[in-house]
Amino acid sequence: SLYLWHWPVLVLMRYRFGADPGPVLVAFAFLAIALLTYLSWRFIETPYRDSAPLGRSYRMSVVLFAAVACAVVSVLLIGLDGRPGRIPPAALVLDAQRTLHGSGDDHCHAGPPQVVSIDELCRSDSAGAVRDRVLVWGDSHAHAIVPVLSAMAAEHGKELWQATYSSCPPLLGVDVARMAGSHHCREFNDMVLRAVRQFDIRSVVLSSYWSAYLWDPALNPVDRWLDPYSSRDALGSGHAAANRRNFENALARTVAALQAAGAEVLVLREVPTQQEFVPVALARAVIDGQDVSRVATTLAKHVARSGPADSIVSRSVTPDRLMDPAAVLCSAGRCPASLDGQSLYIDAHHLSAAGAGMLRAGLEAAFK
């Protein structure tokens, strides 16, 4: 019974109270699990085991009837799409934003096991004219800001190129830990630099979930030591000090290579990470009649999490070539997850089209 009851209780608790419900709620959940375990053992399992064969058949008939009834209700709910009418329309709109990637055409964003060539890099329609080219280079965080960059490129009469690859920071000469051989990050980044040189790209925007590629003290040491895919010098592996040094050297090497190719480089610091899956948390706040502005992280938490990576990123370029999303997305010590009824995120840390649009002023430097 303990095994059967723990799963629904913990899942429903996290659904109702968020991904991190806190120790008090967890304690109540374990008490609920213990109570349900006792009740089902006392009033279902024990009577069934102790009853005569005829009584056992009767009890089993009741159980089978209940199971069939549950199956019928489940099929009906699936057919009715969960009966969405029970949820306020505003909550449905917010929840649906997790399915809107808001980053242009997904075929432009690569990921393992793809091996992308220069010819496969997406670029905006140049209407037959050769124009100044702007490249956005990075992982899925770079992919998330493509909508605003694409609109700005059109306004400035420039051509936007996209080189984004999942879980692959725009860093030359390094591998990412815990990624299989099908993750062609190093090859992808080498190809991007060749494209910059070959097509005379004059402006490059570097954007990434930078801290994801630094040594993580929370990672299980056994997973790190027994990682079958990574060398000790891969980003996120080895020792913390060595990892930071490899990260900083790779970023400096990348910026230097781009500048040597004649490109101006704009580097974005990390987007604040929220504590919850934002669209669901916002929808839940609407359902509960709460202020959606409560769904937010603090600037202090963002700085604590991204500080080591941001300090390295900040040293890679001059201040005028550095853009900090937190300066726009956070104010008064808080980084809200929504604005004017729109989610700024599609999950906990990828910006939505609305969130990316808030970075417009800071991204202007890429088009000058």
Side-chain angles (χ1 to χ4, degrees):
S1 293
L2 179 65
Y3 176 78
L4 294 174
W5 281 116
H6 86 280
W7 184 82
V9 171
L10 295 179
V11 166
L12 290 173
M13 176 190 65
R14 294 186 69 181
Y15 173 77
R16 181 63 183 79
F17 297 104
D20 186 13
V24 174
L25 283 173
V26 170
F28 274 108
F30 279 112
L31 287 175
I33 293 169
L35 178 62
L36 290 168
T37 297
Y38 171 77
L39 292 175
S40 61
W41 169 80
R42 174 68 179 80
F43 295 105
I44 298 176
E45 296 174 45
T46 298
Y48 180 80
R49 283 194 299 266
D50 294 345
S51 61
L54 184 60
R56 195 172 298 172
S57 298
Y58 168 75
R59 295 179 192 278
M60 181 56 70
S61 299
V62 174
V63 170
L64 288 175
F65 175 81
V68 170
C70 286
V72 171
V73 171
S74 298
V75 170
L76 289 174
L77 287 174
I78 292 171
L80 295 172
D81 197 22
R83 200 171 63 82
R86 76 190 193 281
I87 300 175
L92 290 175
V93 170
L94 288 167
D95 182 70
Q97 292 183 32
R98 60 176 159 164
T99 63
L100 302 175
H101 198 287
S103 329
D105 296 327
D106 280 344
H107 76 271
C108 293
H109 181 60
Q114 289 174 274
V115 181
V116 181
S117 68
I118 290 177
D119 293 336
E120 293 175 299
L121 292 178
C122 285
R123 61 207 75 175
S124 59
D125 184 11
S126 61
V130 177
R131 301 183 292 181
D132 290 340
R133 298 178 175 94
V134 177
L135 170 71
V136 54
W137 181 10
D139 56 14
S140 53
H141 275 221
H143 182 41
I145 64 171
V146 166
V148 64
L149 288 172
S150 180
M152 294 174 71
E155 293 167 5
H156 287 81
K158 299 193 177 185
E159 186 177 69
L160 181 70
W161 287 47
Q162 179 179 349
T164 59
Y165 193 97
S166 286
S167 301
C168 178
L171 300 173
L172 295 170
V174 289
D175 296 309
V176 179
R178 297 175 296 283
M179 293 294 178
S182 60
H183 189 248
H184 301 284
C185 182
R186 183 189 286 258
E187 299 92 328
F188 179 80
N189 287 332
D190 289 343
M191 178 272 295
V192 175
L193 180 60
R194 290 197 303 273
V196 172
R197 292 168 174 165
Q198 179 178 338
F199 292 94
D200 194 28
I201 294 174
R202 292 298 181 179
S203 182
V204 178
V205 179
L206 300 182
S207 176
S208 180
Y209 196 24
W210 301 111
S211 61
Y213 309 104
L214 279 181
W215 192 86
D216 183 2
L219 182 67
N220 187 330
V222 175
D223 289 341
R224 183 181 292 111
W225 295 334
L226 300 182
D227 179 5
Y229 302 119
S230 311
S231 62
R232 299 288 287 174
D233 61 349
L235 294 179
S237 186
H239 298 285
N243 199 191
R244 289 194 187 96
R245 185 168 56 253
N246 290 341
F247 183 98
E248 185 160 15
N249 290 341
L251 182 54
R253 182 167 56 245
T254 304
V255 172
L258 290 170
Q259 291 172 340
E264 292 282 350
V265 182
L266 177 68
V267 182
L268 270 65
R269 290 171 62 173
E270 189 167 309
V271 169
T273 295
Q274 298 291 330
Q275 305 304 304
E276 301 179 79
F277 193 96
V278 170
V280 172
L282 293 173
R284 188 167 55 239
V286 171
I287 292 170
D288 293 343
Q290 298 177 351
D291 185 357
V292 295
S293 65
R294 74 172 185 84
V295 182
T297 190
T298 64
L299 184 59
K301 287 182 178 179
H302 166 61
V303 171
R305 185 189 184 282
S306 64
D310 275 346
S311 65
I312 295 173
V313 170
S314 298
R315 293 193 295 270
S316 66
V317 290
T318 57
D320 62 309
R321 305 304 300 176
L322 182 71
M323 193 264 168
D324 184 9
V328 179
L329 297 171
C330 307
S331 62
R334 296 178 73 255
C335 307
S338 64
L339 180 68
D340 298 331
Q342 286 190 301
S343 175
L344 301 180
Y345 295 78
I346 63 168
D347 51 24
H349 51 84
H350 289 92
L351 291 177
S352 66
M358 294 182 65
L359 308 185
R360 173 180 283 265
L363 294 171
E364 278 289 342
F367 297 93
K368 292 180 179 179

PDB file of all heavy atoms in Angstrom, residues 147-181:
ATOM      1  N   PRO A 147      12.735  35.647 -32.258  1.00  0.00           N
ATOM      2  CA  PRO A 147      11.634  36.485 -32.766  1.00  0.00           C
ATOM      3  C   PRO A 147      11.932  37.972 -32.724  1.00  0.00           C
ATOM      4  O   PRO A 147      11.688  38.684 -33.696  1.00  0.00           O
ATOM      5  CB  PRO A 147      10.468  36.118 -31.839  1.00  0.00           C
ATOM      6  CG  PRO A 147      10.774  34.758 -31.350  1.00  0.00           C
ATOM      7  CD  PRO A 147      12.257  34.700 -31.225  1.00  0.00           C
ATOM      8  N   VAL A 148      12.457  38.458 -31.593  1.00  0.00           N
ATOM      9  CA  VAL A 148      12.726  39.892 -31.497  1.00  0.00           C
ATOM     10  C   VAL A 148      13.898  40.272 -32.393  1.00  0.00           C
ATOM     11  O   VAL A 148      13.878  41.330 -33.043  1.00  0.00           O
ATOM     12  CB  VAL A 148      12.973  40.313 -30.031  1.00  0.00           C
ATOM     13  CG1 VAL A 148      14.211  39.664 -29.450  1.00  0.00           C
ATOM     14  CG2 VAL A 148      13.085  41.831 -29.929  1.00  0.00           C
ATOM     15  N   LEU A 149      14.913  39.424 -32.488  1.00  0.00           N
ATOM     16  CA  LEU A 149      16.044  39.723 -33.368  1.00  0.00           C
ATOM     17  C   LEU A 149      15.617  39.733 -34.830  1.00  0.00           C
ATOM     18  O   LEU A 149      16.079  40.570 -35.617  1.00  0.00           O
ATOM     19  CB  LEU A 149      17.159  38.692 -33.152  1.00  0.00           C
ATOM     20  CG  LEU A 149      17.938  38.797 -31.848  1.00  0.00           C
ATOM     21  CD1 LEU A 149      18.873  37.604 -31.689  1.00  0.00           C
ATOM     22  CD2 LEU A 149      18.728  40.104 -31.783  1.00  0.00           C
ATOM     23  N   SER A 150      14.736  38.826 -35.196  1.00  0.00           N
ATOM     24  CA  SER A 150      14.249  38.770 -36.569  1.00  0.00           C
ATOM     25  C   SER A 150      13.487  40.046 -36.926  1.00  0.00           C
ATOM     26  O   SER A 150      13.669  40.621 -38.004  1.00  0.00           O
ATOM     27  CB  SER A 150      13.357  37.543 -36.756  1.00  0.00           C
ATOM     28  OG  SER A 150      12.878  37.462 -38.075  1.00  0.00           O
ATOM     29  N   ALA A 151      12.626  40.496 -36.014  1.00  0.00           N
ATOM     30  CA  ALA A 151      11.875  41.730 -36.257  1.00  0.00           C
ATOM     31  C   ALA A 151      12.805  42.933 -36.348  1.00  0.00           C
ATOM     32  O   ALA A 151      12.635  43.803 -37.217  1.00  0.00           O
ATOM     33  CB  ALA A 151      10.850  41.938 -35.146  1.00  0.00           C
ATOM     34  N   MET A 152      13.800  42.976 -35.481  1.00  0.00           N
ATOM     35  CA  MET A 152      14.739  44.097 -35.496  1.00  0.00           C
ATOM     36  C   MET A 152      15.594  44.097 -36.757  1.00  0.00           C
ATOM     37  O   MET A 152      15.905  45.152 -37.314  1.00  0.00           O
ATOM     38  CB  MET A 152      15.624  44.043 -34.245  1.00  0.00           C
ATOM     39  CG  MET A 152      14.855  44.266 -32.951  1.00  0.00           C
ATOM     40  SD  MET A 152      15.872  44.021 -31.473  1.00  0.00           S
ATOM     41  CE  MET A 152      16.944  45.462 -31.562  1.00  0.00           C
ATOM     42  N   ALA A 153      15.972  42.894 -37.222  1.00  0.00           N
ATOM     43  CA  ALA A 153      16.756  42.812 -38.454  1.00  0.00           C
ATOM     44  C   ALA A 153      15.966  43.380 -39.628  1.00  0.00           C
ATOM     45  O   ALA A 153      16.510  44.114 -40.467  1.00  0.00           O
ATOM     46  CB  ALA A 153      17.159  41.371 -38.721  1.00  0.00           C
ATOM     47  N   ALA A 154      14.695  43.052 -39.690  1.00  0.00           N
ATOM     48  CA  ALA A 154      13.856  43.578 -40.776  1.00  0.00           C
ATOM     49  C   ALA A 154      13.750  45.092 -40.699  1.00  0.00           C
ATOM     50  O   ALA A 154      13.788  45.788 -41.725  1.00  0.00           O
ATOM     51  CB  ALA A 154      12.473  42.942 -40.711  1.00  0.00           C
ATOM     52  N   GLU A 155      13.620  45.621 -39.487  1.00  0.00           N
ATOM     53  CA  GLU A 155      13.505  47.069 -39.321  1.00  0.00           C
ATOM     54  C   GLU A 155      14.789  47.788 -39.731  1.00  0.00           C
ATOM     55  O   GLU A 155      14.739  48.920 -40.243  1.00  0.00           O
ATOM     56  CB  GLU A 155      13.179  47.387 -37.862  1.00  0.00           C
ATOM     57  CG  GLU A 155      11.794  46.918 -37.422  1.00  0.00           C
ATOM     58  CD  GLU A 155      11.634  46.957 -35.915  1.00  0.00           C
ATOM     59  OE1 GLU A 155      12.577  47.436 -35.227  1.00  0.00           O
ATOM     60  OE2 GLU A 155      10.585  46.510 -35.408  1.00  0.00           O
ATOM     61  N   HIS A 156      15.925  47.152 -39.500  1.00  0.00           N
ATOM     62  CA  HIS A 156      17.208  47.777 -39.807  1.00  0.00           C
ATOM     63  C   HIS A 156      17.722  47.421 -41.205  1.00  0.00           C
ATOM     64  O   HIS A 156      18.824  47.820 -41.584  1.00  0.00           O
ATOM     65  CB  HIS A 156      18.262  47.371 -38.771  1.00  0.00           C
ATOM     66  CG  HIS A 156      18.078  48.024 -37.432  1.00  0.00           C
ATOM     67  ND1 HIS A 156      17.175  47.577 -36.498  1.00  0.00           N
ATOM     68  CD2 HIS A 156      18.692  49.107 -36.884  1.00  0.00           C
ATOM     69  CE1 HIS A 156      17.242  48.334 -35.422  1.00  0.00           C
ATOM     70  NE2 HIS A 156      18.152  49.274 -35.626  1.00  0.00           N
ATOM     71  N   GLY A 157      16.947  46.656 -41.962  1.00  0.00           N
ATOM     72  CA  GLY A 157      17.363  46.280 -43.300  1.00  0.00           C
ATOM     73  C   GLY A 157      18.560  45.360 -43.305  1.00  0.00           C
ATOM     74  O   GLY A 157      19.413  45.447 -44.210  1.00  0.00           O
ATOM     75  N   LYS A 158      18.632  44.452 -42.333  1.00  0.00           N
ATOM     76  CA  LYS A 158      19.754  43.521 -42.248  1.00  0.00           C
ATOM     77  C   LYS A 158      19.251  42.087 -42.319  1.00  0.00           C
ATOM     78  O   LYS A 158      18.060  41.808 -42.165  1.00  0.00           O
ATOM     79  CB  LYS A 158      20.547  43.761 -40.966  1.00  0.00           C
ATOM     80  CG  LYS A 158      21.147  45.166 -40.900  1.00  0.00           C
ATOM     81  CD  LYS A 158      22.162  45.313 -39.807  1.00  0.00           C
ATOM     82  CE  LYS A 158      22.788  46.708 -39.826  1.00  0.00           C
ATOM     83  NZ  LYS A 158      23.866  46.860 -38.840  1.00  0.00           N
ATOM     84  N   GLU A 159      20.172  41.178 -42.542  1.00  0.00           N
ATOM     85  CA  GLU A 159      19.839  39.766 -42.683  1.00  0.00           C
ATOM     86  C   GLU A 159      20.225  39.035 -41.405  1.00  0.00           C
ATOM     87  O   GLU A 159      21.380  39.106 -40.966  1.00  0.00           O
ATOM     88  CB  GLU A 159      20.602  39.175 -43.872  1.00  0.00           C
ATOM     89  CG  GLU A 159      20.211  37.735 -44.208  1.00  0.00           C
ATOM     90  CD  GLU A 159      20.942  37.241 -45.447  1.00  0.00           C
ATOM     91  OE1 GLU A 159      22.175  37.059 -45.371  1.00  0.00           O
ATOM     92  OE2 GLU A 159      20.285  37.048 -46.478  1.00  0.00           O
ATOM     93  N   LEU A 160      19.266  38.341 -40.789  1.00  0.00           N
ATOM     94  CA  LEU A 160      19.533  37.609 -39.560  1.00  0.00           C
ATOM     95  C   LEU A 160      19.852  36.149 -39.865  1.00  0.00           C
ATOM     96  O   LEU A 160      19.089  35.473 -40.548  1.00  0.00           O
ATOM     97  CB  LEU A 160      18.335  37.672 -38.612  1.00  0.00           C
ATOM     98  CG  LEU A 160      18.541  36.943 -37.277  1.00  0.00           C
ATOM     99  CD1 LEU A 160      19.551  37.686 -36.406  1.00  0.00           C
ATOM    100  CD2 LEU A 160      17.229  36.755 -36.529  1.00  0.00           C
ATOM    101  N   TRP A 161      20.963  35.680 -39.351  1.00  0.00           N
ATOM    102  CA  TRP A 161      21.345  34.278 -39.430  1.00  0.00           C
ATOM    103  C   TRP A 161      21.165  33.643 -38.056  1.00  0.00           C
ATOM    104  O   TRP A 161      21.413  34.286 -37.035  1.00  0.00           O
ATOM    105  CB  TRP A 161      22.803  34.132 -39.877  1.00  0.00           C
ATOM    106  CG  TRP A 161      23.040  34.424 -41.328  1.00  0.00           C
ATOM    107  CD1 TRP A 161      22.587  35.481 -42.052  1.00  0.00           C
ATOM    108  CD2 TRP A 161      23.817  33.623 -42.226  1.00  0.00           C
ATOM    109  NE1 TRP A 161      23.015  35.404 -43.350  1.00  0.00           N
ATOM    110  CE2 TRP A 161      23.780  34.275 -43.491  1.00  0.00           C
ATOM    111  CE3 TRP A 161      24.543  32.445 -42.101  1.00  0.00           C
ATOM    112  CZ2 TRP A 161      24.433  33.764 -44.601  1.00  0.00           C
ATOM    113  CZ3 TRP A 161      25.200  31.941 -43.206  1.00  0.00           C
ATOM    114  CH2 TRP A 161      25.142  32.592 -44.450  1.00  0.00           C
ATOM    115  N   GLN A 162      20.747  32.373 -38.051  1.00  0.00           N
ATOM    116  CA  GLN A 162      20.528  31.662 -36.793  1.00  0.00           C
ATOM    117  C   GLN A 162      21.397  30.421 -36.731  1.00  0.00           C
ATOM    118  O   GLN A 162      21.320  29.550 -37.595  1.00  0.00           O
ATOM    119  CB  GLN A 162      19.056  31.270 -36.633  1.00  0.00           C
ATOM    120  CG  GLN A 162      18.773  30.490 -35.346  1.00  0.00           C
ATOM    121  CD  GLN A 162      17.306  30.124 -35.176  1.00  0.00           C
ATOM    122  OE1 GLN A 162      16.443  30.623 -35.909  1.00  0.00           O
ATOM    123  NE2 GLN A 162      17.017  29.270 -34.212  1.00  0.00           N
ATOM    124  N   ALA A 163      22.206  30.333 -35.665  1.00  0.00           N
ATOM    125  CA  ALA A 163      23.026  29.148 -35.413  1.00  0.00           C
ATOM    126  C   ALA A 163      22.803  28.745 -33.963  1.00  0.00           C
ATOM    127  O   ALA A 163      23.526  29.175 -33.056  1.00  0.00           O
ATOM    128  CB  ALA A 163      24.499  29.434 -35.678  1.00  0.00           C
ATOM    129  N   THR A 164      21.755  27.945 -33.736  1.00  0.00           N
ATOM    130  CA  THR A 164      21.433  27.523 -32.375  1.00  0.00           C
ATOM    131  C   THR A 164      21.331  26.001 -32.324  1.00  0.00           C
ATOM    132  O   THR A 164      20.778  25.371 -33.217  1.00  0.00           O
ATOM    133  CB  THR A 164      20.115  28.154 -31.895  1.00  0.00           C
ATOM    134  OG1 THR A 164      19.036  27.776 -32.782  1.00  0.00           O
ATOM    135  CG2 THR A 164      20.218  29.668 -31.881  1.00  0.00           C
ATOM    136  N   TYR A 165      21.859  25.444 -31.238  1.00  0.00           N
ATOM    137  CA  TYR A 165      21.948  23.987 -31.087  1.00  0.00           C
ATOM    138  C   TYR A 165      21.689  23.664 -29.616  1.00  0.00           C
ATOM    139  O   TYR A 165      22.327  24.237 -28.729  1.00  0.00           O
ATOM    140  CB  TYR A 165      23.337  23.519 -31.506  1.00  0.00           C
ATOM    141  CG  TYR A 165      23.501  22.026 -31.707  1.00  0.00           C
ATOM    142  CD1 TYR A 165      23.422  21.471 -32.977  1.00  0.00           C
ATOM    143  CD2 TYR A 165      23.764  21.177 -30.644  1.00  0.00           C
ATOM    144  CE1 TYR A 165      23.591  20.115 -33.182  1.00  0.00           C
ATOM    145  CE2 TYR A 165      23.932  19.817 -30.841  1.00  0.00           C
ATOM    146  CZ  TYR A 165      23.850  19.281 -32.104  1.00  0.00           C
ATOM    147  OH  TYR A 165      24.018  17.929 -32.307  1.00  0.00           O
ATOM    148  N   SER A 166      20.774  22.760 -29.355  1.00  0.00           N
ATOM    149  CA  SER A 166      20.373  22.460 -27.985  1.00  0.00           C
ATOM    150  C   SER A 166      21.545  22.001 -27.127  1.00  0.00           C
ATOM    151  O   SER A 166      22.378  21.197 -27.564  1.00  0.00           O
ATOM    152  CB  SER A 166      19.296  21.363 -27.977  1.00  0.00           C
ATOM    153  OG  SER A 166      18.060  21.871 -28.411  1.00  0.00           O
ATOM    154  N   SER A 167      21.588  22.527 -25.899  1.00  0.00           N
ATOM    155  CA  SER A 167      22.601  22.140 -24.902  1.00  0.00           C
ATOM    156  C   SER A 167      24.014  22.315 -25.423  1.00  0.00           C
ATOM    157  O   SER A 167      24.911  21.537 -25.087  1.00  0.00           O
ATOM    158  CB  SER A 167      22.380  20.686 -24.449  1.00  0.00           C
ATOM    159  OG  SER A 167      21.105  20.523 -23.888  1.00  0.00           O
ATOM    160  N   CYS A 168      24.211  23.333 -26.250  1.00  0.00           N
ATOM    161  CA  CYS A 168      25.524  23.578 -26.850  1.00  0.00           C
ATOM    162  C   CYS A 168      25.858  25.060 -26.711  1.00  0.00           C
ATOM    163  O   CYS A 168      25.320  25.889 -27.436  1.00  0.00           O
ATOM    164  CB  CYS A 168      25.518  23.162 -28.320  1.00  0.00           C
ATOM    165  SG  CYS A 168      27.073  23.468 -29.178  1.00  0.00           S
ATOM    166  N   PRO A 169      26.729  25.433 -25.785  1.00  0.00           N
ATOM    167  CA  PRO A 169      27.094  26.841 -25.636  1.00  0.00           C
ATOM    168  C   PRO A 169      27.951  27.293 -26.808  1.00  0.00           C
ATOM    169  O   PRO A 169      28.679  26.488 -27.407  1.00  0.00           O
ATOM    170  CB  PRO A 169      27.904  26.843 -24.331  1.00  0.00           C
ATOM    171  CG  PRO A 169      28.523  25.485 -24.282  1.00  0.00           C
ATOM    172  CD  PRO A 169      27.491  24.555 -24.882  1.00  0.00           C
ATOM    173  N   PRO A 170      27.921  28.565 -27.158  1.00  0.00           N
ATOM    174  CA  PRO A 170      28.720  29.061 -28.286  1.00  0.00           C
ATOM    175  C   PRO A 170      30.177  29.259 -27.872  1.00  0.00           C
ATOM    176  O   PRO A 170      30.678  30.383 -27.797  1.00  0.00           O
ATOM    177  CB  PRO A 170      28.027  30.387 -28.631  1.00  0.00           C
ATOM    178  CG  PRO A 170      27.487  30.868 -27.318  1.00  0.00           C
ATOM    179  CD  PRO A 170      27.076  29.629 -26.574  1.00  0.00           C
ATOM    180  N   LEU A 171      30.843  28.155 -27.620  1.00  0.00           N
ATOM    181  CA  LEU A 171      32.224  28.172 -27.132  1.00  0.00           C
ATOM    182  C   LEU A 171      33.068  27.235 -27.987  1.00  0.00           C
ATOM    183  O   LEU A 171      32.734  26.049 -28.130  1.00  0.00           O
ATOM    184  CB  LEU A 171      32.286  27.731 -25.672  1.00  0.00           C
ATOM    185  CG  LEU A 171      31.483  28.587 -24.677  1.00  0.00           C
ATOM    186  CD1 LEU A 171      31.487  27.955 -23.297  1.00  0.00           C
ATOM    187  CD2 LEU A 171      32.026  30.007 -24.619  1.00  0.00           C
ATOM    188  N   LEU A 172      34.135  27.750 -28.515  1.00  0.00           N
ATOM    189  CA  LEU A 172      34.997  26.965 -29.403  1.00  0.00           C
ATOM    190  C   LEU A 172      35.944  26.060 -28.611  1.00  0.00           C
ATOM    191  O   LEU A 172      36.441  26.440 -27.556  1.00  0.00           O
ATOM    192  CB  LEU A 172      35.824  27.898 -30.290  1.00  0.00           C
ATOM    193  CG  LEU A 172      35.048  28.763 -31.292  1.00  0.00           C
ATOM    194  CD1 LEU A 172      35.963  29.799 -31.904  1.00  0.00           C
ATOM    195  CD2 LEU A 172      34.410  27.890 -32.368  1.00  0.00           C
ATOM    196  N   GLY A 173      36.163  24.870 -29.157  1.00  0.00           N
ATOM    197  CA  GLY A 173      37.203  23.997 -28.651  1.00  0.00           C
ATOM    198  C   GLY A 173      36.902  23.274 -27.364  1.00  0.00           C
ATOM    199  O   GLY A 173      37.836  22.815 -26.686  1.00  0.00           O
ATOM    200  N   VAL A 174      35.638  23.146 -26.973  1.00  0.00           N
ATOM    201  CA  VAL A 174      35.297  22.427 -25.750  1.00  0.00           C
ATOM    202  C   VAL A 174      34.131  21.482 -26.007  1.00  0.00           C
ATOM    203  O   VAL A 174      33.344  21.665 -26.933  1.00  0.00           O
ATOM    204  CB  VAL A 174      34.923  23.393 -24.603  1.00  0.00           C
ATOM    205  CG1 VAL A 174      36.139  24.140 -24.090  1.00  0.00           C
ATOM    206  CG2 VAL A 174      33.829  24.361 -25.034  1.00  0.00           C
ATOM    207  N   ASP A 175      34.037  20.462 -25.155  1.00  0.00           N
ATOM    208  CA  ASP A 175      32.909  19.541 -25.165  1.00  0.00           C
ATOM    209  C   ASP A 175      32.082  19.775 -23.910  1.00  0.00           C
ATOM    210  O   ASP A 175      32.560  20.347 -22.925  1.00  0.00           O
ATOM    211  CB  ASP A 175      33.387  18.089 -25.211  1.00  0.00           C
ATOM    212  CG  ASP A 175      34.127  17.774 -26.503  1.00  0.00           C
ATOM    213  OD1 ASP A 175      33.580  18.076 -27.574  1.00  0.00           O
ATOM    214  OD2 ASP A 175      35.252  17.242 -26.434  1.00  0.00           O
ATOM    215  N   VAL A 176      30.833  19.303 -23.935  1.00  0.00           N
ATOM    216  CA  VAL A 176      29.932  19.437 -22.799  1.00  0.00           C
ATOM    217  C   VAL A 176      29.793  18.086 -22.121  1.00  0.00           C
ATOM    218  O   VAL A 176      29.589  17.069 -22.791  1.00  0.00           O
ATOM    219  CB  VAL A 176      28.552  19.957 -23.253  1.00  0.00           C
ATOM    220  CG1 VAL A 176      27.608  20.074 -22.067  1.00  0.00           C
ATOM    221  CG2 VAL A 176      28.685  21.306 -23.947  1.00  0.00           C
ATOM    222  N   ALA A 177      29.927  18.069 -20.803  1.00  0.00           N
ATOM    223  CA  ALA A 177      29.863  16.813 -20.046  1.00  0.00           C
ATOM    224  C   ALA A 177      28.484  16.173 -20.137  1.00  0.00           C
ATOM    225  O   ALA A 177      27.480  16.838 -20.362  1.00  0.00           O
ATOM    226  CB  ALA A 177      30.215  17.071 -18.580  1.00  0.00           C
ATOM    227  N   ARG A 178      28.480  14.870 -19.976  1.00  0.00           N
ATOM    228  CA  ARG A 178      27.264  14.051 -19.941  1.00  0.00           C
ATOM    229  C   ARG A 178      26.481  14.097 -21.234  1.00  0.00           C
ATOM    230  O   ARG A 178      25.275  13.954 -21.250  1.00  0.00           O
ATOM    231  CB  ARG A 178      26.379  14.453 -18.741  1.00  0.00           C
ATOM    232  CG  ARG A 178      27.051  14.213 -17.398  1.00  0.00           C
ATOM    233  CD  ARG A 178      26.238  14.702 -16.238  1.00  0.00           C
ATOM    234  NE  ARG A 178      26.045  16.137 -16.241  1.00  0.00           N
ATOM    235  CZ  ARG A 178      26.969  17.027 -15.879  1.00  0.00           C
ATOM    236  NH1 ARG A 178      28.164  16.630 -15.497  1.00  0.00           N
ATOM    237  NH2 ARG A 178      26.700  18.314 -15.896  1.00  0.00           N
ATOM    238  N   MET A 179      27.166  14.348 -22.333  1.00  0.00           N
ATOM    239  CA  MET A 179      26.544  14.322 -23.657  1.00  0.00           C
ATOM    240  C   MET A 179      27.170  13.212 -24.479  1.00  0.00           C
ATOM    241  O   MET A 179      28.401  13.086 -24.531  1.00  0.00           O
ATOM    242  CB  MET A 179      26.736  15.663 -24.378  1.00  0.00           C
ATOM    243  CG  MET A 179      25.999  16.808 -23.724  1.00  0.00           C
ATOM    244  SD  MET A 179      24.209  16.597 -23.835  1.00  0.00           S
ATOM    245  CE  MET A 179      23.641  18.058 -22.942  1.00  0.00           C
ATOM    246  N   ALA A 180      26.334  12.413 -25.120  1.00  0.00           N
ATOM    247  CA  ALA A 180      26.819  11.273 -25.898  1.00  0.00           C
ATOM    248  C   ALA A 180      27.540  11.742 -27.156  1.00  0.00           C
ATOM    249  O   ALA A 180      27.534  12.924 -27.505  1.00  0.00           O
ATOM    250  CB  ALA A 180      25.642  10.368 -26.267  1.00  0.00           C
ATOM    251  N   GLY A 181      28.151  10.796 -27.836  1.00  0.00           N
ATOM    252  CA  GLY A 181      28.895  11.108 -29.047  1.00  0.00           C
ATOM    253  C   GLY A 181      28.048  11.701 -30.144  1.00  0.00           C
ATOM    254  O   GLY A 181      28.579  12.322 -31.066  1.00  0.00           O
TER     255      GLY A 181
END
